[in-house]
Amino acid sequence: MVTPALVAGVAFWTDTQMTQRPQITSASWLMIAILGLTWGGTFLVTEVALEGLTPFWLAAGRITFAAMVMVAIWGARGFTLFQVPPSPGTCMNLTTIGALSSAVPFILLAWGQQFVTAGFAGVSMAAVALIVLPLAHFLVPGERMSWRKAVGFVVGFVGVCILIGSQAFESSGAALEIPGRIACFGAAGCYAVSSVLMRRLPEVDTIGLAAVVLLIGATIVVPAALLVEGVPAMPDQRTLWVIAFLGLVPTAAANLLRVLVVRTAGPVFMSLVNYQVPVWSVVLGALLLGEPLPATLLWSMLLILAGVGLSQYGALTRLFRPR
């Protein structure tokens, strides 16, 4: 739930407000399509990785590998980050973004999914878009919430719930199910708040920002993995290759695209990815693993597309307007 206290807290951590309105272009649409496909397929690869590694160390491995890759690229560019020396508030804001972008939500999901159904976890991630919408309304210039945009996001969320089906809200029967659900929604809140804060940063090098965010995440998740799961056994070669893939593609490369989208098109537009991920997960599962397609796939996709169309009506009309 977005409360006045939460809004005030986010504003406190943010000392610089961007004045440029979000710019949604054809490249923006292409980037969120790539992100939806990439993160939708990550679930299949993660299942393979979990056969040889525990959840916390899987998160630590992929984030650390991604951080190493991005820091190397950033170093080749001279380690430039801000155009002018940042204020203490900006540095604190950047640290918060690093924690909330990967480490904290990964930890919350790894713990919460032990006690909730996979369907509920999917719905909680789709809720990111609904959390971003009011936050951005108050905190991001040019992201005013309208009735059309709000209805569009709700319609898209309903489409995701229909796609997931009865698992969306059914009980797992676990003793810690309620805390598990709170953890999943907490992870969604982390992604939403970090996107809003990222948009409000002053002028910053995109690659440097992606590298620093991952580096901060790695410094949090590695000690957490040691504390919760202890020192891991050496994974087999296949698991190491899978971790490298997860670190390179859905973590490093996708994080860079996420930074680009948030910084140019805004956090509300970026949140549309969360409606695509369940669709791609179902479709890729059918194509690659032979899993049955749900009978509700067509209707849910129509609702999701209708929701996207409603919420982004202005951006779509500008995109296809004759020049």
Side-chain angles (χ1 to χ4, degrees):
M1 180 181 297
V2 180
T3 64
L6 176 60
V7 173
V10 174
F12 173 79
W13 292 108
T14 306
D15 64 340
T16 304
Q17 184 172 338
M18 290 196 66
T19 56
Q20 184 180 3
R21 292 177 60 86
Q23 300 295 316
I24 300 173
T25 65
S26 56
S28 306
W29 288 99
L30 177 61
M31 285 190 285
I32 66 164
I34 293 172
L35 284 170
L37 174 60
T38 301
W39 285 335
T42 300
F43 294 103
L44 305 178
V45 184
T46 301
E47 289 180 9
V48 176
L50 286 172
E51 295 174 4
L53 201 60
T54 51
F56 272 61
W57 276 112
L58 174 57
R62 63 184 285 191
I63 294 175
T64 301
F65 185 85
M68 292 168 59
V69 171
M70 290 306 303
V71 168
I73 297 172
W74 182 34
R77 292 165 52 88
F79 290 113
T80 301
L81 187 57
F82 292 104
Q83 301 298 320
V84 296
S87 67
T90 297
C91 293
M92 194 169 293
N93 186 21
L94 186 59
T95 303
T96 305
I97 294 168
L100 299 185
S101 290
S102 56
V104 175
F106 276 24
I107 290 170
L108 288 173
L109 283 172
W111 185 83
Q113 284 187 268
Q114 299 175 91
F115 312 110
V116 304
T117 62
F120 182 85
V123 166
S124 66
M125 289 302 96
V128 171
L130 300 181
I131 300 172
V132 164
L133 194 60
L135 279 176
H137 173 80
F138 290 105
L139 299 171
V140 180
E143 294 276 26
R144 304 292 293 176
M145 181 170 56
S146 63
W147 281 109
R148 184 177 62 215
K149 188 177 289 188
V151 169
F153 273 85
V154 171
V155 168
F157 182 76
V158 170
V160 172
C161 292
I162 292 174
L163 175 63
I164 294 173
S166 60
Q167 295 185 55
F169 298 104
E170 69 181 13
S171 174
S172 67
L176 294 176
E177 182 176 23
I178 292 178
R181 289 187 171 189
I182 293 173
C184 289
F185 276 121
C190 287
Y191 287 128
V193 172
S194 66
S195 291
V196 170
L197 292 177
M198 188 181 294
R199 171 64 185 172
R200 290 174 58 92
L201 284 171
E203 288 299 318
V204 63
D205 179 75
T206 302
I207 291 178
L209 177 58
V212 170
V213 165
L214 287 169
L215 193 58
I216 294 170
T219 61
I220 295 172
V221 75
V222 171
L226 276 170
L227 181 65
V228 175
E229 297 176 346
V231 178
M234 182 64 184
D236 57 59
Q237 188 173 14
R238 185 186 74 157
T239 302
L240 289 175
W241 280 111
V242 172
I243 293 172
F245 173 81
L246 287 171
L248 184 63
V249 179
T251 308
N255 186 66
L256 179 58
L257 283 183
R258 177 178 179 249
V259 170
L260 282 169
V261 173
V262 171
R263 293 290 293 171
T264 56
V268 172
F269 184 77
M270 173 64 206
S271 68
L272 295 176
V273 172
N274 296 91
Y275 289 162
Q276 297 180 60
V277 171
V279 176
W280 281 114
S281 180
V282 169
V283 171
L284 291 173
L287 292 176
L288 301 179
L289 301 180
E291 296 176 349
L293 287 172
T296 57
L297 177 62
L298 178 60
W299 292 110
S300 61
M301 287 184 65
L302 287 174
L303 280 173
I304 291 171
L305 289 173
V308 171
L310 274 173
S311 65
Q312 299 299 318
Y313 178 79
L316 287 168
T317 54
R318 288 192 297 271
L319 184 64
F320 294 106
R321 183 183 299 158
R323 298 185 183 277

